[in-house]
Structures are given as C-alpha cells and as structure tokens.
Amino acid sequence: MGIQTWTFIIVGITFALYIGIAIWSRASSTKEFYVAGGGVSPLANGLATAADWMSAASFLGMAGIIAFSGYDGSVYLMGWTGGYVLLALLLAPYLRKFGKFTVPDFIGDRYYSNIARTVAVVAALFVSFTYVAGQMRGVGVVFSRFLDVEVNTGVYIGMAVVLFYAFLGGMKGITYTQVAQYCVLIFAFMVPAIFISLMATGNPVPQLGMGSAGSDGVYLLDKLDGLMTDLGFTAYTDGTKSTTDVFFITAALMLGTAGLPHVIIRFFTVPKVKDARKSAGYALLFIAILYTTAPAIAVFARTNLMETVQDTLYKEIPDWFTKWEETGLIAWTDKNGDGKIQYLPGTAIEGKKPLFSEARGAVGQRLISNSSATRNELYVDRDITVLANPEIAGLPNWIIALVAAGGLAAALSTAAGLLLVISTSISHDLIKKQFAPEISDRKELLIARLSAVLAVIVAGYFGINPPGFVASVVALAFGLAASSFFPAIVMGIFSKRMNREGAITGMIAGLVITSYYIARFKLGWIGNPETNTTQDWWFGISPEGFGTVGMLVNFVLAIVVSRFTSPPPEEVQEIVENIRIPSGAGEAIEH
C-alpha cells in the first residue's frame, strides 16, 4: 500500500481512539473538567504528563533544530530537560499542597489580590496562545505532506479533533487521551530511529548508534562533520552561538518550564502530594526516552539528507523530495541551469519561507518568486526533519505513516492541555473568581467549554500564521513564562515577605519587556526592520533567550517594591510557612 493509504489507516485508527476515549470520559462536573476528578493514578498521570510535555516542538521541532544547528541546538535539549526536573522537584509538590489548580488561582490567593490574579490570567493567555501556535503549525505540516492537503486545511482538521475531546472531556478526557497519545508518539519516534540506526551503524540503540562507526569504518559524527565542512558549513559538533546567548536561552527554557500552566495543572489530577511526586518521576522517565533519542535522529537525518540531495540531478531525485516540494516545505533553484540540487551555506532563501510562482522550471521544479540567489540553492524547513527522515532512509510505508500519526499525537496532546488552560483561565479565574462568584457549577462548565471553542479558533489563526519554526515559536512561550510566572511562583512559595505590590509590579514589568523584545526582534511588529537585525540584539541575546532578562527584571523590581511597601497579612505568611511542610495536603481546593 502507498504512504497515503497507510496514513489514512493509522491516523484514522488513532483519531477514532482519541474520540472514543473522549466520549467514554466525558466530564460531568467542573472538578472533572479542570482536574479529572483528582483520582488519576500516578502511572497514568506520568504518561499523560509526558505527552502533555512532549509537544510538536519535542517530536518535530527539537530534532529538526538540532539537525540544522548542530551543537547550538543542544540548548533546547538541556533547557527543556533541566526545566522539567526543576519543576518536578522545586515547585510542583508545594503548588500541589497549596491546593489551587491554576497558576492564576495560586497567584491571586497567595498575593491576596484580584489584580494579581488578572495579571496572571493575561500572562497565562500570552504563554498559552504562543505555545499552541507551534502545535497547530506542527499539525498543518503533517497533514500537508501525508494527506495531500494545504497546510491551512491540516490546521482546520487538527482544530476540529482537539476541540472535540477537549470540549467533551475537559481534563478527564484529555488525561486518558494523552495516555494513548504518549504510547502512539513514543512508538512512532523510536521505531524509525531503531531501523535507521541499524542501517547506518549496525547498532539497534540510536543513542549508541549516533556515536558508532558505519559500514565504512568512519564514525558517524566525524562523517557528518566532514560533509558539512566540505560544503562550507560550520562543523556539526562546533557551535556558532555566543556563550552568553546559549546561557540565556537555556535559562529561559528551564525557568519558563517551571511556569508552564498546562504542565503544573497535571499535578492536581492525582489524589495526594506523594502521588504527584511519583507521577513526576514516571514522567521524567518517559520523557527521557524521547529526549535522549532526538540528537541521534538529528544526526541520522542531516547525514542522510546531505548524502541524498547534494549534486543529485533533479530528474533523478527520489519521490519524497518532490512530494515535500509540493507542500512548499522544500524548495530549490537552478541558477546555473545544470539541473543539479546543491545544498550550500548562506543561500538567499536559507531560513526564509519561499514564495512560489505559478510557472515551473526547465526540469519541472517549482520556481521561487522571492529568491535573490546568484547560485543554486536549497531550502529545507526544519520542521520536516523527523517526518521526512524515514522516507529519505527508504523505510517501509507503514513506518512513514506511523511517524505522521506520532507527530499528530504530540501536537494534539499539548494543544489540548493548552486549550484547557485558556478555558480555565477565562471561566474559573476571571468569571468565577472575580465577576460572578455565585455562578452555578453547570454554568461555569458551559463557559469553560465555550471558552475552549474561542481558544481553538485563535489557536488555529496562529497555526496558519506562525511567527517561525515550531521549536523557536515554543521557545518564545517559555521565555514569556519565565519572565512573568517563575519569580512570582518561587517567591510566593519561599518568601514570606513578598507582597502583592511587588509581585504585580514584577510580573507586569517582566511580561512587558519580554513581549516588546519579541515583537521587535522576532516578529518585526515594532521599529525599523533595518535596526531589528541580529547585530542590534541587546547584549547579544536572541529573542528566544530574552525571557531570562525579563525574569531578572521581574525579580529585582518585585523584591525592591516589596521592601518599600507593607508586608503580607499574617494569615498569608502562615500559609507560606505551612506549604513547605511535607504532610497535610488534601485534594485540590474547590471553587
């Protein structure tokens, strides 16, 4: 059977499974909608947390960004892994004991202020919408290639599926759906990695295969370094980013993780604090399987790509190349008319999205209308690395279709968690806690579901018009979380002196300065494009790493303002003292 037929079968089966689980686990109360009733087992919650954590950025984007950035791409691996450990050990148990299952709810009660709660809601919406844009982009990329539809149409399909089970089941439906999605995505990630490792080095363990020698006796990393330097690229194992930028990006990803509301809420779906710690341990184990494999896939993919396309006649190129070319995610120009594809550094469209004209080239290639190239050039979208790798390696069609299903599982699992955060922020933290405290449970549940509908529409728009590649878009969300939530959460747990004035000032300042920097240097919405180049970055820090600066600004202003204003009430200081005591926590506090 062909790839498309296999894709319809495997993706159809997985989608039917997700929808069936949503119908089976339909939420009938706000507690089930928000925290799955608080009765999920640690193992199931660990699987669901891993699926929630490993988004399209992990499944599609991380290996892609490592493949194309080499050593520099390791910042994403270090930042996200370290960040999860930080969250699981430093913050999650204390937040679980406090009992408030949303970050805005924790901040509103800890800082005894609805203004603080509202600022936190705004920050949660900023973070979640930025994050979900990357997931919808991932869905569109998968559908555009394997179901032969436009990227936009793929986003619409993904919106419909994720809305269905988020709308019906809430956190209860999402949790059990994510258990299934983890199984799908990890199987889809590991099977091709094992096959390709065997083919390339004879070693079935990808993590070991990456550092092994191939059939020609040359170590794979040495071979890739040689291929890249011969073509004029920087060696794969050498970095080009400054140490400062690497530090700030890694810190932003780590600290932003600790403020991600869709991950924090997962620790309230288990009965006890002890179970929250167990589920965090399980999740770390399940996450490590994928995260230790991603660098190996990146090496295999970059090596296979360069060996396959370099100096190959377009008329002789395998079908996978022209299929991806039709989606607009691979592009090639033939300036010297020799009909050969060449992959060279510093080309005129590298890193830019190509725009195609209606005409075709001399050998049938799609012509790029926005290229200023003076020589042959090749554009490869980083987000297709994992998806295209099995095709490049010549693996069976069912494995290629399985990878497509895995990519969709990763994107949809995280998108569902983010949509729940958005709907909860609106229905619980705004409506219930501030504007209509007497609202019935049934009406609050209705508002939560309507909020999810609105959220998925906005998410779809950002998926169709993303500000960059999946991993880099998600990195921006982590930066926003680091600059807004992390200081408020940490000081809310560990500082009895931190008051509402300090927390509010710090959150607003951190969020504003980080948003401004991203809007100027990443999105180009502010300022003159001529002065928004990489040479104009403040202190040489990229937009992906600027969340660390915003976080430092947040900390400094919060501490200074709190010292010049009144301390928190005695009862709040007692709460802060009590949440650091290991025993005594019960269920998530009802609203």
Side-chain angles (χ1 to χ4, degrees):
M1 287 189 289
I3 294 174
Q4 191 175 47
T5 304
W6 271 114
T7 303
F8 274 116
I9 292 172
I10 295 178
V11 171
I13 290 171
T14 58
F15 276 22
L17 175 64
Y18 306 154
I19 292 170
I21 292 172
I23 295 171
W24 166 75
S25 58
R26 180 173 180 172
S28 57
S29 68
T30 51
K31 187 173 182 181
E32 288 186 341
F33 193 89
Y34 293 145
V35 291
V40 180
S41 71
L43 178 60
N45 196 52
L47 288 164
T49 304
D52 210 355
W53 173 254
M54 291 188 297
S55 63
S58 295
F59 191 96
L60 302 178
M62 186 167 63
I65 209 162
I66 295 172
F68 284 85
S69 303
Y71 178 84
D72 289 337
S74 63
V75 298
Y76 291 87
L77 189 65
M78 293 186 296
W80 284 333
T81 306
Y84 180 79
V85 175
L86 179 69
L87 170 62
L89 298 181
L90 181 64
L91 301 180
Y94 303 110
L95 290 171
R96 176 65 182 81
K97 184 172 182 184
F98 192 88
K100 298 298 182 179
F101 57 79
T102 71
V103 173
D105 213 7
F106 166 78
I107 289 175
D109 280 23
R110 164 59 183 85
Y111 295 112
Y112 50 97
S113 168
N114 275 337
I115 295 176
R117 189 191 311 274
T118 303
V119 172
V121 167
V122 172
L125 295 177
F126 262 80
V127 171
S128 299
F129 276 123
T130 306
Y131 205 151
V132 83
Q135 313 317 308
M136 289 300 155
R137 153 85 177 173
V139 171
V141 167
V142 174
F143 275 124
S144 65
R145 165 62 185 91
F146 295 107
L147 297 184
D148 284 340
V149 299
E150 293 291 327
V151 173
N152 294 4
T153 305
V155 172
Y156 297 144
I157 297 171
M159 288 166 58
V161 173
V162 74
L163 179 62
F164 183 85
Y165 65 78
F167 185 90
L168 275 184
M171 179 55 81
K172 185 179 179 183
I174 288 169
T175 295
Y176 293 108
T177 302
Q178 285 174 337
V179 171
Q181 285 169 330
Y182 176 80
C183 297
V184 172
L185 75 87
I186 202 65
F187 189 65
F189 201 79
M190 294 303 299
V191 167
I194 291 169
F195 269 86
I196 296 172
S197 183
L198 274 170
M199 292 167 62
T201 66
N203 193 321
V205 182
Q207 295 89 334
L208 300 178
M210 177 181 67
S212 301
S215 57
D216 55 3
V218 179
Y219 283 95
L220 200 59
L221 285 170
D222 291 338
K223 182 178 184 179
L224 181 53
D225 276 348
L227 284 170
M228 295 188 68
T229 54
D230 288 346
L231 294 176
F233 290 95
T234 301
Y236 188 82
T237 53
D238 290 342
T240 58
K241 283 184 178 293
S242 68
T243 304
T244 300
D245 197 29
V246 167
F247 172 82
F248 275 83
I249 293 175
T250 305
L253 295 174
M254 285 184 63
L255 303 177
T257 299
L260 286 180
H262 75 290
V263 177
I264 289 173
I265 199 172
R266 292 237 55 93
F267 295 103
F268 291 91
T269 62
V270 292
K272 306 172 186 174
V273 175
K274 180 181 179 181
D275 295 328
R277 289 194 178 97
K278 282 184 180 179
S279 64
Y282 281 130
L284 187 59
L285 173 64
F286 299 139
I287 290 168
I289 297 172
L290 186 144
Y291 269 46
T292 56
T293 308
I297 287 183
V299 171
F300 299 149
R302 190 67 186 271
T303 304
N304 287 340
L305 175 67
M306 299 186 84
E307 287 188 322
T308 302
V309 303
Q310 183 61 25
D311 286 329
T312 300
L313 288 169
Y314 182 81
K315 290 183 177 180
E316 298 176 0
I317 201 73
D319 287 344
W320 67 263
F321 186 95
T322 52
K323 288 288 188 181
W324 281 109
E325 187 184 23
E326 290 301 320
T327 68
L329 299 174
I330 281 181
W332 167 70
T333 61
D334 186 20
K335 284 295 179 180
N336 61 11
D338 65 357
K340 290 184 177 180
I341 298 169
Q342 293 175 322
Y343 193 17
L344 302 169
T347 57
I349 60 170
E350 179 67 33
K352 300 177 185 176
K353 185 177 180 180
L355 300 176
F356 295 97
S357 65
E358 294 297 322
R360 291 278 180 166
V363 290
Q365 79 273 25
R366 297 187 71 181
L367 294 179
I368 304 168
S369 58
N370 65 331
S371 172
S372 57
T374 57
R375 61 181 179 180
N376 289 17
E377 62 179 16
L378 177 69
Y379 165 87
V380 181
D381 191 297
R382 295 174 181 179
D383 293 334
I384 73 169
T385 302
V386 171
L387 297 173
N389 198 25
E391 291 183 277
I392 299 172
L395 296 184
N397 289 343
W398 69 268
I399 294 181
I400 297 169
L402 178 66
V403 173
L408 290 172
L412 294 176
S413 63
T414 303
L418 292 164
L419 290 176
L420 186 69
V421 166
I422 294 167
S423 65
T424 303
S425 296
I426 295 171
S427 63
H428 180 69
D429 298 315
L430 277 182
I431 305 298
K432 174 74 174 180
K433 285 292 186 177
Q434 299 189 55
F435 298 120
E438 303 303 321
I439 192 172
S440 68
D441 194 68
R442 184 176 179 181
K443 286 185 177 179
E444 185 183 352
L445 186 58
L446 176 62
I447 293 171
R449 285 177 166 147
L450 292 176
S451 300
V453 175
L454 177 63
V456 82
I457 293 172
V458 178
Y461 170 81
F462 285 119
I464 293 168
N465 302 283
F469 299 113
V470 170
S472 60
V473 172
V474 170
L476 301 179
F478 281 74
L480 291 169
S483 63
S484 56
F485 285 137
F486 182 73
I489 293 173
V490 168
M491 291 188 289
I493 293 171
F494 297 104
S495 172
K496 292 193 291 184
R497 184 63 179 81
M498 182 51 57
N499 61 12
R500 63 186 175 191
E501 291 84 3
I504 293 169
T505 304
M507 282 193 297
I508 292 175
L511 186 62
V512 167
I513 191 171
T514 305
S515 299
Y516 167 82
Y517 198 82
I518 291 171
R520 178 177 174 184
F521 291 108
K522 186 69 176 181
L523 306 178
W525 292 349
I526 299 173
N528 185 344
E530 294 181 2
T531 59
N532 287 352
T533 63
T534 56
Q535 288 75 25
D536 300 302
W537 288 350
W538 300 353
F539 317 112
I541 301 170
S542 64
E544 289 82 4
F546 198 79
T548 303
V549 177
M551 181 268 300
L552 294 173
V553 170
N554 185 336
F555 262 120
V556 170
L557 285 178
I559 292 170
V560 170
V561 170
S562 69
R563 291 301 181 269
F564 287 94
T565 49
S566 302
E570 286 294 328
E571 59 269 22
V572 172
Q573 295 187 46
E574 288 178 13
I575 291 173
V576 175
E577 188 70 36
N578 289 335
I579 63 174
R580 296 201 294 269
I581 299 172
S583 61
E587 295 184 352
I589 296 173
E590 65 274 46
H591 38 280

